[in-house]
Amino acid sequence: MKIAIAGGSIAGLACALTLTCTGHDVHVYERSATPLRGRGGGVVVLRQMLHFLEEHGQRTRAMLAVPTHRRRWIDIDGHVIRDDPELLPFSSWDAVYRSLCSMLSPNAIHYGHHVARVTEDEDGFDIHFDHSSSAVRADVLIVADGTGSWLRSMLFPGSFPSYAGYLAWRGVVSENIFGRNQVADLIENMTLYRSKAELFMTFLIPALDGSLETGTRRFNWLWYRNEPDESSIRMFLTGRDGRRRHASVAPGELSEPSIAYLHRAALERLPRTLSQLVTATNAPFLQAISDALSPSFAKGRVALVGDAACTLRPHTGSGTSKAADDAVSLAQALSTVTTDVVQVLADWAVRRRSAVEPLLLKGPRLAQSFGLGYPSH
Ligand SMILES: Cc1cc2nc3c(=O)[nH]c(=O)nc-3n(C[C@H](O)[C@H](O)[C@H](O)COP(=O)(O)OP(=O)(O)OC[C@H]3O[C@@H](n4cnc5c(N)ncnc54)[C@H](O)[C@@H]3O)c2cc1C
C-alpha cells in the first residue's frame, strides 16, 4: 500500500521504518524545513522496536545508551536518603531520532511539508500541503503530529489536549564543564530530589553526536513544578521573540525573564549539586504537561500513533517506547492486510487502546504521589 505519514518526529519515523520493513511504500511529511535537532533530552532505549528491526535485517547499533547503575534520592543538603539499583539505560532523543533517520531512505522523508488539508474518498486520500497546490495520493494516512495534533481535532472535533497543572523545565548540559568532584555523585546514576509540588531528576545521556566517551556525555535534567497561575504560565510560554507558544518553548527560545526566574528558583530551592546543572545550562527549555487522548486510535483508513493518539505523562518514561510499540504493532497488523484495511485498523485501534490503558492511568497516579498536577476528581 501507499502510506502517508503526517509528522516526522519519533512516532512518524518509527512507523515509516516498520511499515517499510513489511513492504509498504511509505512517505513521511514533516512541516519542519530541516531535520529536527536537539529537541529533547533522555529517552529509554526502544527494546521491542530494536528486536523487530533486527528480525527484519536492520542494523541498529546507533541507538546507544549510557548505563545507569543507581537511582538515588537526595535531600536539600545533597545527602543520599534512598539508594536503589537502577538498570534502565538512557539514550538521548537525538540518538534515537538520528538512528531512525539513518535507517530510512532519504527520499522517504519530505521536510517543509505542512499537511494543511486532507480529502478522503472510498479508496484513499489526497493530502494537501500549505506550500503547494499539488496533492499526494495515499491508501492509508498515519497521523503522527504530536500532542496538539491538528489532524486529531479535525477527525474528532472537540478533542484537544488539557493542561495537567504543572510545567517541566528542562535542560541538557555537558559533563565536561564541571570539575570531576562537582558531579562525581551524578555520573551514571539517576539522581532525584523532591519537595512540595516539585520533582527534579537528572541522568547522563550520550553526546549530541552519539558519543559515549567520558567527558563528551551530557546531563539531562527535568524539573517538574506545579504552576496553576494563568498569568505565570502565559509569561513562561511567551518566547524571547514575544510570541506566545501553545505548550512548549524550545531550547534557545525562553525569554530572559523566564531564564532569570528559573535560575533564581534553582538557587533558592534545589540542592547545590543540582542547581549548578540548571544555572550552567545554555539553552534550557520548557514544556507544559498535558493530557491528550483520542476518542479512537483509528477512523476509516486513518491510524493515530504516538502523542497524537495519546499523550502519556512523562513520569511513566514511556512516551517514546509507546510510539515505537505503536509502530511495531501497526506494521504487524498491516502486514496481513487483504482487502479490508478499515477493519484491520479498527481492530488494531481497540488492541492498542487496551494495551496503553494501564500507562494512561499510571501517569496521573505517579504525578499525584509527587504532589504534581491538579488533583483528580
Ligand atoms: C517533559 C517531557 C519529558 C519526556 N520524557 C520522556 C522520556 O524520558 N522518555 C520517553 O520515552 N518519552 C518522553 N517524553 C515523550 C516523548 O517525547 C514523546 O512521547 C515521543 O517523542 C513521541 O512523540 P511524537 O513523535 O508522537 O510527537 P512529536 O515529537 O510532538 O512530533 C510531532 C511532529 O509532527 C510535526 N507536525 C505537526 N503538525 C504537522 C503537520 N500539520 N504537518 C506535518 N508535520 C506536522 C511536528 O513538527 C513534529 O515534528 C517526554 C515528554 C515530555 C513532555
Side-chain angles (χ1 to χ4, degrees):
M1 284 188 296
K2 192 156 187 207
I3 298 182
I5 301 179
S9 179
I10 303 288
L13 295 182
C15 283
L17 197 51
T18 57
L19 289 160
T20 303
C21 282
T22 49
H24 299 289
D25 175 15
V26 187
H27 291 265
V28 179
Y29 301 99
E30 165 56 47
R31 68 180 171 191
S32 165
T34 52
L36 311 173
R37 197 176 150 85
R39 279 180 144 208
V43 292
V44 294
V45 170
L46 313 178
R47 288 182 198 288
Q48 196 186 335
M49 173 127 176
L50 292 181
H51 184 64
F52 176 92
L53 295 177
E54 275 156 21
E55 270 180 5
H56 286 81
Q58 288 278 358
R59 284 183 64 229
T60 55
R61 252 174 9 99
M63 243 181 254
L64 297 170
V66 181
T68 46
H69 303 299
R70 318 285 311 168
R71 171 186 285 250
R72 293 150 61 112
W73 291 86
I74 59 174
D75 66 15
I76 190 71
D77 299 316
H79 298 129
V80 177
I81 50 175
R82 188 169 167 179
D83 187 350
D84 299 312
E86 166 76 61
L87 297 169
L88 267 187
F90 284 102
S91 187
S92 71
W93 189 94
D94 311 275
V96 171
Y97 173 78
R98 245 197 326 252
S99 77
L100 292 174
C101 286
S102 71
M103 287 184 264
L104 282 163
S105 152
N107 302 330
I109 312 175
H110 307 269
Y111 297 103
H113 281 63
H114 186 140
V115 176
R117 193 161 60 86
V118 176
T119 48
E120 186 175 8
D121 55 45
E122 58 190 39
D123 306 323
F125 303 92
D126 286 315
I127 295 158
H128 305 262
F129 306 98
D130 66 355
H131 68 289
S132 134
S133 54
S134 56
V136 293
R137 182 90 192 144
D139 303 307
V140 167
L141 171 65
I142 296 183
V143 170
D145 56 349
T147 304
S149 174
W150 163 77
L151 283 155
R152 183 188 60 232
S153 55
M154 187 196 73
L155 291 163
F156 302 102
S159 168
F160 297 110
S162 61
Y163 175 56
Y166 57 111
L167 302 173
W169 297 88
R170 306 181 64 178
V172 174
V173 57
S174 283
E175 65 174 322
N176 72 2
I177 66 166
F178 302 101
R180 183 80 195 170
N181 290 343
Q182 285 174 280
V183 289
D185 290 345
L186 306 179
I187 300 284
E188 294 182 12
N189 292 321
M190 182 192 236
T191 306
L192 299 106
Y193 168 75
R194 71 181 275 203
S195 66
K196 194 166 175 289
E198 306 186 14
L199 174 68
F200 188 102
M201 64 173 73
T202 186
F203 48 87
L204 275 179
I205 60 174
L208 196 56
D209 68 1
S211 165
L212 298 178
E213 288 293 310
T214 301
T216 69
R217 303 166 301 183
R218 301 168 297 162
F219 288 108
N220 174 53
W221 58 263
L222 297 103
W223 191 10
Y224 298 105
R225 305 191 71 202
N226 276 0
E227 188 48 86
D229 180 53
E230 277 291 329
S231 61
S232 302
I233 298 168
R234 198 172 327 112
M235 179 191 115
F236 295 141
L237 285 175
T238 301
R240 60 175 59 229
D241 57 3
R243 193 168 54 80
R244 162 80 204 256
R245 273 67 170 169
H246 173 65
S248 63
V249 186
E253 295 180 8
L254 275 180
S255 69
E256 287 303 331
S258 294
I259 293 178
Y261 168 90
L262 172 65
H263 286 184
R264 212 170 39 246
L267 292 168
E268 281 168 9
R269 306 190 60 84
L270 293 175
R272 173 83 192 95
T273 185
L274 302 181
S275 65
Q276 66 178 343
L277 301 183
V278 177
T279 53
T281 299
N282 269 337
F285 54 110
L286 177 70
Q287 271 163 306
I289 303 301
S290 303
D291 294 311
L293 177 62
S294 179
S296 171
F297 293 176
K299 188 169 185 181
R301 292 169 161 267
V302 184
L304 293 95
V305 295
D307 287 2
C310 85
T311 304
L312 299 171
R313 293 285 179 93
H315 320 289
T316 61
S318 43
T320 308
S321 53
K322 186 200 77 80
D325 293 350
D326 289 345
V328 170
S329 60
L330 192 58
Q332 285 165 339
L334 289 175
S335 68
T336 55
V337 161
T338 47
T339 49
D340 201 349
V341 182
V342 172
Q343 190 58 49
V344 167
L345 290 180
D347 293 344
W348 168 82
V350 171
R351 284 198 304 279
R352 271 318 279 156
R353 173 70 184 252
S354 57
V356 299
E357 194 98 39
L359 289 170
L360 272 168
L361 299 173
K362 184 179 170 191
R365 266 205 313 266
L366 277 173
Q368 272 191 26
S369 72
F370 300 127
L372 293 170
Y374 296 130
S376 63
H377 303 293

